[in-house]
Amino acid sequence: MSEVKVYPVDPEFAAKAHIDNARYQAMYEQSIKDPDAFWGEHGKRLDWFTPYTRVKHTSFDPHNVDIRWFEDGTLNAAYNCLDRHLETRGDQVAIIWEGDDPSEDEKITYRDLHERVCRLSNALKAQGVEKGDVVTLYMPMIPEAAVAMLACARIGAVHSVVFGGFSPEALANRIEGAESKLVITSDYSLRGGKVVPLKANVDKALTDPAAARFCEKVVVVERHPVKRTGDELAWHDHRDLWYHDITEQASVECPAEELNAEDPLFILYTSGSTGKPKGLKHTTGGYLVYASMTHEYVFDYQEGDIYWCTADVGWVTGHSYIVYGPLANGATTLMFEGVPSYPDNSRFGRVIEKHRVNQFYTAPTAIRALMQKGEDVLGDSDLSSLRLLGSVGEPINPEAWEWYHRVVGQGRCPIVDTWWQTETGGIMIVPLPGATDTKPGSATRPFFGVQPALVDNEGNELEGAVDGNLVIKDSWPGQSRSIWGDHERFVQTYFSTFKGCYTTGDGARRDEDGFYWITGRVDDVLNVSGHRMGTAEIESALVAHPAVAEAAVVGYPHNLKGQGIYVYVTLQAGFEQSDELMKELRNWVRSEIGPIASPDLIQFAPGMPKTRSGKIMRRILRKIAEDDFGSLGDTSTLADPSVVDDLIEKRLNRT
Ligand code: PRX
């Protein structure tokens, strides 16, 4: 490969860091050789009501996938994130909230947060929410989102957070799939000055009888500055409740429920290569141990640091690295409601300066968007508080890495490129900042307890510097335990392709130093601006439109988004292709799934390249979308090879 620049660990950073290279090596080795002893020790970072005596009880055998950690211990996640800090850091700020409007912010201490969580916990109990019930959160990035997650955790309810950018249809599917009894939302959300009617979306979702069958109550947070616009909300007295009405009078005392380590903490829906999004189940003990430990070591979080992760709580990054990891560690975590470009492109810099942020964790897509605006995009913001930068969600191209390092990190902050997934619960492959030299574009080495391997398509393990399918050979505590209501699908998706291993769905290369370079998904999952999406989902939304006979969706390289969505559509007889129809289809997908699924390019295709047995050959469609049709491979097995020429001639991405 072409010359790779290496950024060695700064010895000064290493000297103060939790983990230097020698410590990394020793701890990693122990974590693999004796996981029971290693995790038995590190599990003690949490407060347990009943200490565990058993640590690891896991099997990846496809006939018996069974994953349990700390299985006889009992604890409570909210207790670990709040109560245990009250004595030592009750007055310390837990959450710094920065509003969409730069003049709005709020600092919430641990004591304050504890009180709010207890009030809501009691209010939810009064509404009949019990241990094991699923509560859906469809919320903006406001403190109440974190309060609601922790209130569920406190009473043993299972939260299912649905990203506020998803459509009412997508929300309805997730309410139904989780059989969720109660939804917490807000009247509106505010992002980049734009108002989104979240409560109205919930109302729409609940016109779907399948979702309405389960959902009895909707709790609505008043996002007050917006309310003053005077918009009228539709209100259903039998079902809707104001958050402030039910919490104001509620007691601030609420004992934390004693839960088993393997009791579910949350469900989080994510896209796969086939079928509907799946609700991954995460449990309490192992998840929290893993989220808190990775948060401390990966970001080298030190007492008093101000830590900022720009993700949304609707994604797993928001769960593990805005809420659970940092709060379990007694950290100060910043929660940002807005977007990097509002009121102007210097916003990230302004927030870092205003709150003296020490660790900053964002996605390559945001970095690339800023990079396009030039070196002075952050204006004259004072970035001197920064000590470390993080990246997550998609491969970071070396140019963006270099820019991030130079312009945001001012050449002095290590970058941690964190590879992980909704399924993994926490960071899996990452350079620990005091231990691992970095190479722009590489996620480098495994975290403690993580055993990555590369296998060929037949499942043979590959040695040395090679490319292959990335699998993980043994369990780690943060791992998802199942798909909600469908364990068989969990086994099929993750444990049946390469026997005895967890299949990540990603491809990777290992270099001569043993560093991993994630090359992207090897299945039909797209990663658009760090948002994960199944091609099957977008296709099924498209074919639900009356004009569409057949649709095939593939990804293609996109400068800003990483991957763009390229759609091939065959129309039903009687429909004509037109710009209006194209626009309509785009809007259709937006309203079926959400704006993040909006197709970038739509090509009308009179025919799809199919095998004689009728299977669409996606490989060919991918190549055409990538404008790389010189290497189409063998097309002679197609039922009608001539369709390919037409597709090439009308291709839309001419690089
Ligand atoms: O393809 C990988 C990519 O994002 C996928 C997981 O997406 P999701 O479950 O939504 O979680 C995103 C946040 C953890 C992975 O299968 N991905 C995530 N982080 C990286 C990455 N690809 C390359 N480098 C990363 N650092």
Side-chain angles (χ1 to χ4, degrees):
M1 98 161 264
S2 61
E3 218 178 292
V4 175
K5 200 160 167 194
V6 179
Y7 288 78
V9 171
D10 173 1
E12 234 177 280
F13 191 102
K16 293 191 204 134
H18 292 298
I19 309 282
D20 62 11
N21 193 37
R23 186 121 196 266
Y24 169 78
Q25 300 281 4
M27 283 174 73
Y28 183 74
E29 201 179 305
Q30 195 215 1
S31 74
I32 303 305
K33 274 203 186 133
D34 193 352
D36 279 302
F38 182 86
W39 291 110
E41 185 55 36
H42 289 281
K44 293 186 196 148
R45 58 186 299 114
L46 301 184
D47 283 11
W48 297 81
F49 295 144
T50 315
Y52 47 84
T53 62
R54 285 187 294 242
V55 179
K56 182 174 187 283
H57 175 161
T58 66
S59 160
F60 282 4
D61 174 354
H63 301 295
N64 173 37
V65 173
D66 186 7
I67 303 160
R68 303 182 216 178
W69 285 88
F70 313 108
E71 61 180 313
D72 59 347
T74 66
L75 76 168
N76 182 286
Y79 180 92
N80 274 281
C81 290
L82 302 166
D83 307 49
R84 67 164 174 163
H85 303 312
L86 292 182
E87 209 174 300
T88 50
R89 54 178 91 239
D91 296 323
Q92 183 201 306
V93 175
I95 297 180
I96 300 177
W97 177 72
E98 168 78 15
D100 185 58
D101 178 336
S103 69
E104 272 197 286
D105 59 20
E106 192 183 354
K107 290 188 171 136
I108 303 165
T109 63
Y110 272 95
R111 198 177 320 285
D112 208 7
L113 188 60
H114 175 258
E115 227 181 84
R116 293 191 199 193
V117 168
C118 287
R119 277 186 205 277
L120 181 61
S121 301
N122 283 322
L124 290 176
K125 284 207 267 190
Q127 294 306 320
V129 177
E130 291 174 2
K131 180 179 166 188
D133 286 344
V134 179
V135 173
T136 298
L137 312 185
Y138 183 65
M139 299 184 77
M141 285 291 287
I142 52 177
E144 287 81 358
V147 171
M149 289 165 79
L150 292 165
C152 290
R154 191 166 194 85
I155 62 175
V158 181
H159 58 71
S160 165
V161 185
V162 177
F163 174 56
F166 277 127
S167 67
E169 284 73 13
L171 174 62
N173 287 335
R174 287 156 173 79
I175 293 172
E176 183 201 351
E179 304 189 359
S180 177
K181 197 158 158 181
L182 184 142
V183 174
I184 307 181
T185 187
S186 132
D187 45 6
Y188 303 97
S189 80
L190 193 56
R191 287 186 83 230
K194 285 198 210 93
V195 174
V196 181
L198 290 187
K199 163 68 166 67
N201 284 355
V202 174
D203 290 342
K204 240 184 254 165
L206 293 180
T207 60
D208 179 342
R213 190 152 65 95
F214 298 107
C215 178
E216 293 160 15
K217 299 278 180 210
V218 177
V219 174
V220 187
V221 178
E222 191 176 39
R223 177 71 184 87
H224 56 91
V226 182
K227 202 197 162 210
R228 289 194 209 113
T229 60
D231 283 340
E232 279 298 312
L233 278 188
W235 202 257
H236 307 85
D237 285 328
H238 67 285
R239 191 186 73 197
D240 300 341
L241 302 153
W242 282 112
Y243 179 100
H244 54 260
D245 284 345
I246 61 167
T247 52
E248 249 159 34
Q249 299 305 321
S251 158
V252 296
E253 303 277 328
C254 177
E257 190 81 25
E258 181 171 345
L259 299 176
N260 181 268
E262 285 300 333
D263 279 339
L265 178 61
F266 66 85
I267 309 174
L268 191 56
Y269 279 85
T270 192
S271 300
S273 46
T274 54
K276 280 189 183 175
K278 35 190 191 252
L280 288 159
K281 173 175 128 178
H282 281 281
T283 57
T284 307
Y287 169 81
L288 199 61
V289 168
Y290 199 75
S292 75
M293 185 164 168
T294 45
H295 172 261
E296 181 178 350
Y297 291 163
V298 169
F299 302 103
D300 195 48
Y301 188 86
Q302 308 270 355
E303 193 65 40
D305 281 349
I306 310 286
Y307 158 89
W308 181 17
C309 165
T310 70
D312 190 285
V313 287
W315 310 115
V316 73
T317 310
H319 284 60
S320 302
Y321 300 112
I322 295 178
V323 180
Y324 287 113
L327 296 178
N329 291 339
T332 298
T333 177
L334 195 151
M335 190 172 180
F336 177 45
E337 185 185 31
V339 296
S341 55
Y342 181 82
D344 63 47
N345 289 310
S346 68
R347 187 67 190 275
F348 274 175
R350 301 290 170 214
V351 177
I352 291 167
E353 171 180 84
K354 175 174 172 191
H355 299 292
R356 306 297 298 153
V357 171
N358 303 112
Q359 290 95 348
F360 178 66
Y361 187 31
T362 195
T365 189
I367 299 165
R368 288 191 297 265
L370 291 178
M371 185 173 149
Q372 267 207 339
K373 313 280 179 210
E375 302 269 318
D376 56 356
V377 58
L378 299 179
D380 56 2
S381 313
D382 175 5
L383 306 175
S384 61
S385 57
L386 286 176
R387 215 157 47 78
L388 174 140
L389 304 174
S391 172
V392 62
E394 46 178 321
I396 180 164
N397 46 312
E399 301 71 36
W401 195 105
E402 298 277 1
W403 187 89
Y404 195 28
H405 188 258
R406 188 178 68 249
V407 177
V408 184
Q410 303 181 320
R412 68 188 152 73
C413 301
I415 296 183
V416 292
D417 176 3
T418 65
W419 175 83
W420 59 296
Q421 311 177 297
T422 307
E423 291 86 344
T424 70
I427 293 166
M428 299 285 283
I429 302 185
V430 64
L432 293 187
T436 311
D437 297 346
T438 48
K439 302 182 191 181
S442 173
T444 77
R445 304 195 287 187
F447 190 75
F448 305 125
V450 175
Q451 291 188 60
L454 299 177
V455 297
D456 65 16
N457 289 340
E458 282 66 53
N460 304 306
E461 185 166 351
L462 305 168
E463 301 296 336
V466 275
D467 256 305
N469 299 293
L470 178 65
V471 299
I472 311 293
K473 288 174 32 172
D474 200 359
S475 183
W476 63 99
Q479 165 169 41
S480 168
R481 306 300 196 246
S482 195
I483 290 174
W484 196 252
D486 199 349
H487 192 64
E488 189 44 37
R489 189 175 174 201
F490 183 67
V491 174
Q492 279 306 318
T493 311
Y494 303 109
F495 300 95
S496 64
T497 319
F498 304 116
K499 301 271 179 296
C501 294
Y502 164 77
T503 301
T504 66
D506 278 326
R509 188 167 60 77
R510 191 172 42 221
D511 69 16
E512 39 310 316
D513 293 325
F515 280 24
Y516 287 85
W517 301 68
I518 309 300
T519 48
R521 300 291 304 195
V522 292
D523 53 11
D524 291 320
V525 171
L526 304 181
N527 192 326
V528 181
S529 300
H531 298 317
R532 174 166 161 185
M533 243 166 306
T535 50
E537 262 169 90
I538 308 175
E539 285 162 7
S540 77
L542 282 161
V543 294
H545 188 280
V548 177
E550 200 160 33
V553 173
V554 296
Y556 71 101
H558 189 288
N559 279 348
L560 277 182
K561 301 179 174 185
Q563 267 189 311
I565 302 175
Y566 195 117
V567 175
Y568 298 90
V569 173
T570 306
L571 294 178
Q572 295 280 12
F575 286 90
E576 291 287 320
Q577 65 179 67
S578 67
D579 288 350
E580 288 78 66
L581 181 54
M582 197 181 293
K583 211 164 140 198
E584 191 179 318
L585 291 178
R586 197 166 274 138
N587 286 336
W588 176 266
V589 176
R590 290 171 73 92
S591 74
E592 289 282 304
I593 305 176
I596 55 171
S598 183
D600 295 284
L601 299 171
I602 301 179
Q603 177 171 358
F604 291 107
M608 299 281 183
K610 289 187 184 169
T611 59
R612 291 196 188 101
S613 60
K615 200 169 172 293
I616 295 181
M617 287 187 77
R618 299 175 153 277
R619 175 177 57 81
I620 294 179
L621 294 177
R622 243 180 252 129
K623 289 277 180 199
I624 296 173
E626 287 164 8
D627 200 20
D628 178 24
F629 50 87
S631 55
L632 280 187
D634 185 12
T635 56
S636 65
T637 56
L638 290 177
D640 176 7
S642 72
V643 299
V644 173
D645 296 332
D646 179 76
L647 290 171
I648 291 178
E649 193 186 315
K650 307 214 176 90
R651 73 192 186 281
L652 298 170
N653 172 34
R654 293 171 194 252
T655 48

